[in-house]
Amino acid sequence: MNAPVDTELASRIQHTLIAAGVTRDQMIAHAREAITYGFAAAMVPGSWVDVVARELEGTAVQVASALDFPTVGVMTTTGKAREAEELVRLGAHQIDMGVQIGWLKSGDWDRFSADIRAVVAAGVPVKVMLELPLLTPQERETAVTLSIEAGAAYLKNASSGAVEIAHPDSIRFLVERVPEGVGVKASGGITSAEQARALLDAGAQLLGTSAGIGIVTSGSGEQSY
């Protein structure tokens, strides 16, 4: 590592590598990058949590994983609950979760809430991907309220850049509605330091990106979820 690192920015980034075909060596390298650059967490698939947890043991870098992702809204609540328990057993400190916004749109609010509660029961902070661009204004309000009531530790604007390139307006919407103790994570196509700082200025506490190294060294990365 030769380029200077924006350590303040790095401390807010969850360094993400979730893709098919990633090898053990690549995943270990990802964990070591998180240490080297001072990222807040290494975000990895559940299938690699044990490997990454061993690599990060004794460091300040958290192990984060996601369920019902990258395709969101396809898992059952029981499946999410059991997966969340297993992720924690393997060493995950935090979990990002997809939610079934179809239940929300269908007025099945109890099921939407129970889905989140089932993952929260695993006992680690849970970040809920709300897919704000896919919701009506009233659905957004309801989604925020139900997620907070269900115990979400963080609310996210979207699961990926395919849903929304993270925008300060979406972050401000969430920040204005979360109570003290509930945070906001920005996610979706974050590829530059300028964009990252704008999201932090809007009130995000965390940023999810796979372009973190480029962002904290040269000011921009090539790609991100």
Side-chain angles (χ1 to χ4, degrees), residues 129-154:
M129 311 176 199
L130 290 179
E131 312 293 47
L132 292 180
L134 306 183
L135 304 178
T136 66
Q138 184 55 55
E139 288 167 350
R140 291 183 179 195
E141 300 288 350
T142 303
V144 168
T145 300
L146 294 177
S147 298
I148 293 170
E149 290 176 351
Y154 287 84

Side-chain angles (χ1 to χ4, degrees), residues 100-112 135 139:
Q100 198 3 315
I101 62 171
W103 292 341
L104 184 79
K105 288 178 173 292
S106 301
D108 199 346
W109 297 353
D110 289 345
R111 199 174 185 189
F112 182 86
L135 304 178
E139 288 167 350

Side-chain angles (χ1 to χ4, degrees), residues 18-103:
I18 296 181
V22 176
T23 67
R24 177 182 295 272
D25 286 348
Q26 289 172 316
M27 198 54 71
I28 290 174
H30 180 75
R32 292 177 179 173
E33 288 168 357
I35 300 170
T36 298
Y37 291 91
F39 292 124
M43 170 65 73
V44 300
S47 51
W48 288 111
V49 162
D50 57 338
V51 171
V52 171
R54 284 196 295 273
E55 199 66 27
L56 294 179
E57 188 174 2
T59 76
V61 181
Q62 297 263 295
V63 180
S65 191
L67 55 78
D68 204 10
F69 177 82
T71 302
V72 173
V74 298
M75 290 183 70
T76 65
T77 297
T78 300
K80 290 179 185 178
R82 292 179 179 170
E83 176 73 351
E85 291 174 358
E86 180 66 359
L87 292 176
V88 173
R89 187 187 72 80
L90 293 172
H93 302 116
Q94 315 168 8
I95 296 172
D96 290 31
M97 68 171 293
V99 287
Q100 198 3 315
I101 62 171
W103 292 341

Side-chain angles (χ1 to χ4, degrees), residues 14-18 30 190 208-213 215 223-225:
Q14 302 212 306
H15 187 41
T16 302
L17 178 58
I18 296 181
H30 180 75
I190 303 173
T209 178
S210 54
I213 294 176
I215 290 173
Q223 62 179 1
S224 182
Y225 294 97

